C-alpha cells in the first residue's frame, strides 16, 4: 500500500482539449513509453473544472468519462441521442469521449470533477461518499477528493484528515477497507487492465 496526500498547490493547470476552459489536474497516469504526457498517451486522469457558460465538450476518441457536479446545480449534458442529468450535485454520469455533447446550465455556473480513462486500459468508478460508512476497495488506485469542505476518512486502521480540495491517493496491491468518518468526499477508483 502506498498513500500520498496531494494538496491543491501540487495540482497543475492545463487547457481543455478544445481550448474552451482550464482543467485543474489532480492526478493522472500516462503510458510509461510516452515521449509526452498528452491526450494520446493518457491512461487515466482526475481533474476538476468550472463550467461557466454553455458550450461543446471536447472530442476525445477512445476515452471513457465519468463526471459529477461538486459545486452549483442545474447542469445537463445534451447529445443528439440522449441527455445526461446532473441537475443535482454528486450525481455521476458516464459517457464516451466520442459523443457530441453540449452543456446546458439551468442555474448558473458549476464546478465538476471528471475521471477519464483510455478505453481498454483501465476501468473507472466515481462515487460520492456522503454518509459515514465503510466500503471495500479493490487492488488499484483510489483517489479520495475533499470536494466540499474538510473531511476525515479511515483506511483500514489509520485515520486521515483532508482539508478542502486535498486528495488522498491510495495505491493498493490487495483489497482494503475505506470508511468515511465525517464530511463529504468524492472517490475515484482506477483499475488498470491493459
Amino acid at each position: 500500500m502506498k498513500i500520498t496526500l496531494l494538496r491543491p498547490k501540487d495540482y497543475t493547470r492545463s487547457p481543455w482539449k478544445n481550448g474552451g476552459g482550464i482543467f485543474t489536474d489532480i492526478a493522472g497516469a500516462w503510458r510509461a513509453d510516452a515521449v509526452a504526457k498528452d491526450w494520446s498517451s493518457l491512461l487515466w486522469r482526475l481533474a476538476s473544472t468550472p463550467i461557466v457558460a454553455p458550450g461543446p465538450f471536447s472530442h476525445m476518441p477512445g476515452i471513457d468519462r465519468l463526471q459529477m457536479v461538486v459545486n452549483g446545480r442545474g447542469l445537463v449534458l445534451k447529445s443528439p441521442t440522449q441527455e445526461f442529468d446532473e441537475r443535482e450535485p454528486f450525481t455521476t454520469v458516464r459517457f464516451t469521449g466520442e459523443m457530441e455533447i453540449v452543456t446546458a446550465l439551468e442555474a448558473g455556473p458549476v464546478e465538476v470533477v471528471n475521471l477519464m480513462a483510455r478505453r481498454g486500459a483501465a476501468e473507472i468508478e466515481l462515487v460520492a461518499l456522503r454518509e459515514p460508512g465503510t466500503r471495500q476497495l479493490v487492488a488499484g488506485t483510489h483517489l479520495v477528493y475533499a470536494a466540499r469542505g474538510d473531511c476525515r476518512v479511515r483506511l483500514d486502521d489509520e485515520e486521515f484528515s483532508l482539508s478542502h480540495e486535498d486528495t488522498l491517493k491510495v495505491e493498493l496491491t490487495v483489497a482494503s477497507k475505506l470508511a468515511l468518518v465525517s464530511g463529504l468526499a468524492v472517490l475515484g477508483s482506477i483499475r488498470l487492465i491493459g
Side-chain angles (χ1 to χ4, degrees), residues 87-122:
R87 288 178 179 93
E88 290 302 314
F90 301 102
T91 301
T92 304
V93 296
R94 179 183 294 267
F95 53 96
T96 65
E98 293 85 358
M99 292 188 88
E100 292 179 30
I101 288 182
V102 176
T103 58
L105 295 169
E106 297 180 349
V110 297
E111 182 179 347
V112 300
V113 171
N114 289 278
L115 181 57
M116 299 168 254
R118 171 112 8 236
R119 194 169 305 125

Side-chain angles (χ1 to χ4, degrees), residues 25-87:
D25 294 307
I26 297 168
W30 290 262
R31 284 195 334 264
D33 63 349
V35 176
K37 291 181 178 180
D38 58 20
W39 290 105
S40 63
S41 63
L42 178 73
L43 293 176
W44 62 265
R45 177 189 215 176
L46 180 72
S48 68
T49 189
I51 300 175
V52 299
F57 268 25
S58 301
H59 185 65
M60 297 180 180
I63 301 293
D64 288 329
R65 300 184 65 176
L66 297 173
Q67 180 177 285
M68 77 169 54
V69 171
V70 294
N71 279 305
R73 60 186 336 105
L75 177 64
V76 180
L77 309 183
K78 298 183 177 187
S79 81
T81 56
Q82 69 186 111
E83 282 190 0
F84 299 91
D85 185 350
E86 291 185 79
R87 288 178 179 93

